[in-house]
Amino acid sequence: MGILPLPGFMTCANKKSVDLNNEVNEANNDGEPEREMWPRKSDYMLSMVGYAVGLGNVWRFPYLAFKNGGGAFLIPYTIMLAFAGLPMFFLECSLGQFASLGPVAVWRIVPVFQGTGVTTVLISALVSIYYNVIVAYSLYYLFASFTSYLPWAECFHWADSRCRNGISGLCNVTLDSATIIVNVSWVNDNNLTCIADNNTELPSKQYWEKVTLQQSSSLDETGHVIWYLALCLLLAWIIAFAALSKGIKSSGKVVYFTALFPYVVLIILLVRGCTLEGARDGIEYYIGQQSDISKLSNGEVWRDAATQIFYSLSVAWGGVIALSSYNKFHNNCYLDAIVVCVINCLTSVLAGFAIFSILGHMALVSGKKVSEVVDEGFGLAFIAYPDALAKLPISPLWSILFFCMLLTLGLDSQFAMIETITTAIQDAFPKIMKKMRILVTGVLCVLLFLLGIPCVTQAGIYWVILIDSFCGGWAILFAAVLELVALVWIYGGNRVILDIEMMIGKKHWIFWLWWRSCWYFVSPVLLAVILVWSLITFEAPKHNGVDYPKWAVTLGFLMVVFCLIWIPIIAVVKIIQAKGNIFQRILSCCRPAQNWGPALPKNRGERYQHMKDERVKNKDKGMEITDRKAIERYTQMKEEPVKQEDKELETPDMKGFDNPSFQSD
């Protein structure tokens, strides 16, 4: 039988109860504002799905599946999800939710490794520079699609003599040791293959290079800023700022469109693609009878599977920790991790069907093999697929849908990367972010926009590939390995499990067998192998066969060094600031900080009851919170004089409720 709440007029002046729906994460005696929380569980889940599901699911996974055995590739892909992707994703979801801290401040758990958090934030910042350039490309193609005839459907005035439309009705074939020109339909009826002409280029390729990019010959030739791409980049950053200006309260609403719309488009493209002639041939190459299970004996297939899972889920980028830090303490992060990972993988498979069904039709009408029209990355998104769409009836409609899908996929991931940076700033300067969040977010977006200007020059594509090759490559693998070592081997896997059980409840020891084996051994070994393999097989980036100059490769390595150098620097600073001899200092820096633990006192239990919290005084830790406005007035109320007649009533001790008239029936 509970006690009835007091009427408003009987509220005591000297004791005030405050309630933030049990979700206050930051409130101190100085009136410091509470940490934001996700208003709805769906906001969080859609944000996580939008972050995990990105451009790589559409333009990378289908090509890898085709390249590595078709349907057989799903075997190593699923295994790597279970052994490397899901364990890391679950660990990061739990870490952010438990402490309600971002990717830098959360390293109170092992202070000597706090530089790892700084590294992930810096990498996210550098990647967000070129990632929004890709969003700008999508915006440009989207605007160019609003016409009755797609501008890359034919060789127009911008084309040179090598430009040839893939559909001419005729092609060269070899018959009886002689090369003859025949009709494409006759080639298809007789199961022959047109001879590839390497001296010709598709109009979509020349449109991409000559019109969209105005591409220069190399990175040494910067050229001028392409004004329409610069405007599209500015628009992309305006969209990002508008969505993030109020933090998760605004971004949580935007993701209802940006996270769900790509699935609508994928389903529409899949249905349309499956109705086209030749679609079956494309799907056969993707995941049908053309599958080759013998390729599973090739180690490179397993490396591609592990790499794709790792980068697709965006673990070790800081975004998973940042988004999870706004969760309720008792949210079921275990179920969330499984749901997001499964949705991410199923999206990749679905995208493959949508892509290959239309590419199969393109191969048929062009008289080519499917393998000759398949591409990945920019080649798929801005050359091969646009060319295929141009050959469909009502082609502008399909083009608009496709580039809207790319746009929303890119924006979702971009939102999360910027949120990762702002969360780190918020943890470091909470009062400033409370008062000037819009200004700070605006300054950050302007700064990143200016840094992205070189990416919209005539040499812009070279810069995009350079940043992607270095910052989005093995540097993040290095941070992931350190993260596992710090959390599981230094802080302790058993302590991690106890922390998780404080949030999701006690689990049987059998439940943790799988996670223990992955966290302690399997995941770090897999990631270390991929890291070493990536370093051994590293090749300087190229674009269209053009080698990057030595200064550019050096600059790429310097960007990686800039991101990683904070790991040893901060470790040394922490050790210097510690007390004792060198061994005592190192040991103390490898232990959790005194303020490590759940943000709310009520969630700390016995394990963290002695946690040092600068935000709440010890005598105030038992205070029950029942009124949102009381947080800002808390200190002032404690100093107000108390009337004599009010002293007999003490809330929340409830000593004034002995009178039967205050008892509930």
Side-chain angles (χ1 to χ4, degrees):
M1 182 176 64
I3 298 176
L4 293 175
L6 277 174
F9 65 88
M10 297 185 65
T11 302
C12 300
N14 63 325
K15 297 281 187 175
K16 191 76 174 177
S17 294
V18 190
D19 182 10
L20 295 184
N21 300 322
N22 298 325
E23 298 307 332
V24 178
N25 276 15
E26 290 185 23
N28 67 6
N29 55 306
D30 295 324
E32 183 176 314
E34 72 274 13
R35 184 181 181 84
E36 289 181 291
M37 305 299 295
W38 291 107
R40 289 168 294 275
K41 176 66 174 287
S42 56
D43 294 8
Y44 166 68
M45 291 300 293
L46 288 176
S47 296
M48 289 290 276
V49 169
Y51 181 44
V53 177
L55 295 171
N57 296 75
V58 173
W59 74 13
R60 177 70 175 161
F61 174 83
Y63 175 81
L64 288 179
F66 159 76
K67 170 188 172 185
N68 293 312
F73 181 69
L74 295 180
I75 297 175
Y77 186 72
T78 304
I79 292 175
M80 290 302 171
L81 168 66
F83 282 102
L86 183 56
M88 280 288 295
F89 198 86
F90 177 34
L91 184 64
E92 291 199 344
C93 285
S94 306
L95 185 64
Q97 179 176 309
F98 179 78
S100 297
L101 294 170
V104 177
V106 79
W107 283 99
R108 296 173 184 175
I109 189 171
V110 187
V112 75
F113 281 90
Q114 191 174 40
T116 306
V118 176
T119 293
T120 59
V121 172
L122 289 176
I123 291 176
S124 292
L126 289 174
V127 170
S128 68
I129 293 173
Y130 84 81
Y131 208 86
N132 232 20
V133 175
I134 300 175
V135 174
Y137 293 158
S138 302
L139 279 170
Y140 173 76
Y141 269 80
L142 175 62
F143 296 147
S145 299
F146 284 93
T147 178
S148 58
Y149 197 76
L150 293 178
W152 56 84
E154 297 289 346
C155 300
F156 293 111
H157 60 88
W158 37 261
D160 58 27
S161 59
R162 295 183 300 163
C163 182
R164 293 286 187 277
N165 194 325
I167 304 179
S168 61
L170 302 174
C171 72
N172 297 329
V173 297
T174 301
L175 194 63
D176 296 331
S177 301
T179 301
I180 59 175
I181 300 177
V182 296
N183 191 286
V184 171
S185 61
W186 183 86
V187 172
N188 294 328
D189 292 340
N190 290 272
N191 294 322
L192 298 175
T193 304
C194 294
I195 300 174
D197 187 355
N198 296 325
N199 293 321
T200 62
E201 292 181 344
L202 291 172
S204 59
K205 184 176 188 297
Q206 293 209 351
Y207 183 84
W208 164 247
E209 295 178 351
K210 296 179 178 295
V211 180
T212 306
L213 301 177
Q214 297 184 27
Q215 183 176 306
S216 62
S217 59
S218 71
L219 190 59
D220 289 317
E221 186 182 340
T222 302
H224 60 270
V225 174
I226 305 171
W227 65 269
Y228 44 84
L229 286 185
L231 289 179
C232 289
L233 180 61
L234 177 61
L235 177 59
W237 279 112
I238 291 175
I239 295 173
F241 168 73
L244 297 170
S245 58
K246 295 184 179 179
I248 60 173
K249 292 181 180 178
S250 54
S251 64
K253 295 179 176 63
V254 176
V255 293
Y256 279 89
F257 173 74
T258 57
L260 296 176
F261 183 75
Y263 291 96
V264 176
V265 176
L266 277 177
I267 293 173
I268 292 174
L269 291 177
L270 175 61
V271 172
R272 177 56 181 146
C274 290
T275 62
L276 297 172
E277 187 180 5
R280 181 174 180 178
D281 295 334
I283 295 175
E284 288 284 352
Y285 267 90
Y286 169 53
I287 206 169
Q289 295 180 3
Q290 298 291 335
S291 299
D292 184 6
I293 199 168
S294 65
K295 286 192 174 183
L296 299 186
S297 60
N298 187 345
E300 188 173 349
V301 173
W302 294 84
R303 185 198 67 173
D304 286 346
T307 304
Q308 175 63 18
I309 277 290
F310 179 79
Y311 289 117
S312 178
L313 292 176
S314 301
V315 290
W317 290 77
V320 176
I321 295 176
L323 295 177
S324 298
S325 69
Y326 299 105
N327 261 338
K328 301 176 182 179
F329 183 79
H330 292 291
N331 175 64
N332 192 343
C333 52
Y334 167 72
L335 181 61
D336 293 347
I338 293 178
V339 170
V340 173
C341 290
V342 170
I343 290 176
N344 175 73
C345 295
L346 292 180
T347 303
S348 297
V349 176
L350 175 65
F353 281 105
I355 296 295
F356 271 83
S357 60
I358 293 182
L359 290 182
H361 173 72
M362 175 186 176
L364 177 70
V365 298
S366 303
K368 299 178 180 179
K369 291 182 179 180
V370 176
S371 58
E372 295 176 1
V373 299
V374 175
D375 207 338
E376 64 171 326
F378 296 107
L380 173 64
F382 301 108
I383 298 176
Y385 209 73
D387 186 62
L389 295 175
K391 295 173 173 54
L392 298 178
I394 325 178
S395 56
L397 172 63
W398 306 113
S399 182
I400 291 171
L401 288 175
F402 176 71
F403 288 109
C404 275
M405 180 186 69
L406 287 188
L407 175 64
T408 51
L409 284 173
L411 284 175
D412 268 338
S413 299
Q414 182 70 4
F415 292 162
M417 283 188 281
I418 302 303
E419 191 66 52
T420 300
I421 305 170
T422 56
T423 299
I425 298 174
Q426 175 176 313
D427 289 338
F429 310 101
K431 293 183 180 180
I432 293 178
M433 285 297 288
K434 175 65 176 179
K435 297 178 181 179
M436 299 186 293
R437 170 178 285 276
I438 295 178
L439 177 61
V440 172
T441 305
V443 170
L444 177 63
C445 290
V446 169
L447 176 62
L448 294 176
F449 165 71
L450 294 176
L451 291 175
I453 291 296
C455 296
V456 290
T457 61
Q458 289 182 280
I461 189 66
Y462 298 100
W463 285 106
V464 169
I465 294 174
L466 179 69
I467 301 174
D468 180 51
S469 300
F470 286 93
C471 296
W474 49 268
I476 204 70
L477 284 170
F478 189 78
V481 173
L482 285 182
E483 182 178 307
L484 278 173
V485 170
L487 296 178
V488 180
W489 291 357
I490 297 179
Y491 178 71
N494 290 332
R495 296 172 72 178
V496 169
I497 290 172
L498 290 175
D499 290 344
I500 296 175
E501 287 184 336
M502 290 177 64
M503 297 184 291
I504 66 175
K506 188 74 174 177
K507 301 293 182 183
H508 196 275
W509 64 271
I510 297 178
F511 174 86
W512 295 109
L513 281 179
W514 174 265
W515 304 106
R516 275 194 173 98
S517 62
C518 289
W519 289 337
Y520 274 101
F521 179 72
V522 179
S523 296
V525 169
L526 278 175
L527 292 177
V529 169
I530 297 172
L531 172 60
V532 173
W533 196 335
S534 299
L535 291 173
I536 293 175
T537 60
F538 175 80
E539 294 181 358
K542 295 182 179 181
H543 179 61
N544 285 351
V546 178
D547 291 325
Y548 276 59
K550 291 183 178 180
W551 68 264
V553 176
T554 302
L555 179 61
F557 278 109
L558 289 176
M559 286 190 291
V560 175
V561 170
F562 172 71
C563 293
L564 296 179
I565 195 65
W566 299 101
I567 297 175
I569 287 178
I570 294 180
V572 170
V573 171
K574 293 288 184 182
I575 293 172
I576 292 175
Q577 292 175 342
K579 298 179 180 180
N581 59 44
I582 184 64
F583 298 105
Q584 291 173 334
R585 292 184 179 191
I586 294 175
L587 188 61
S588 65
C589 290
C590 290
R591 293 171 178 163
Q594 292 181 348
N595 58 351
W596 162 254
L600 281 178
K602 67 175 183 177
N603 293 326
R604 293 172 187 169
E606 295 183 1
R607 294 185 62 227
Y608 292 93
Q609 62 180 335
H610 301 297
M611 170 184 168
K612 180 180 178 181
D613 192 347
E614 301 85 355
R615 296 169 298 183
V616 182
K617 293 182 178 180
N618 289 331
K619 62 181 180 180
D620 299 325
K621 287 185 178 180
M623 177 181 178
E624 181 186 1
I625 302 180
T626 58
D627 184 3
R628 177 178 296 271
K629 294 182 180 179
I631 289 185
E632 298 179 356
R633 303 196 306 264
Y634 179 48
T635 305
Q636 299 175 358
M637 289 187 301
K638 291 176 62 179
E639 302 299 331
E640 291 177 359
V642 182
K643 295 181 180 180
Q644 183 65 31
E645 59 268 22
D646 293 331
K647 290 185 177 180
E648 297 179 358
L649 284 175
E650 296 183 328
T651 314
D653 298 328
M654 302 299 181
K655 292 183 179 180
F657 281 83
D658 293 332
N659 191 320
S661 62
F662 289 101
Q663 302 292 333
S664 59
D665 295 331

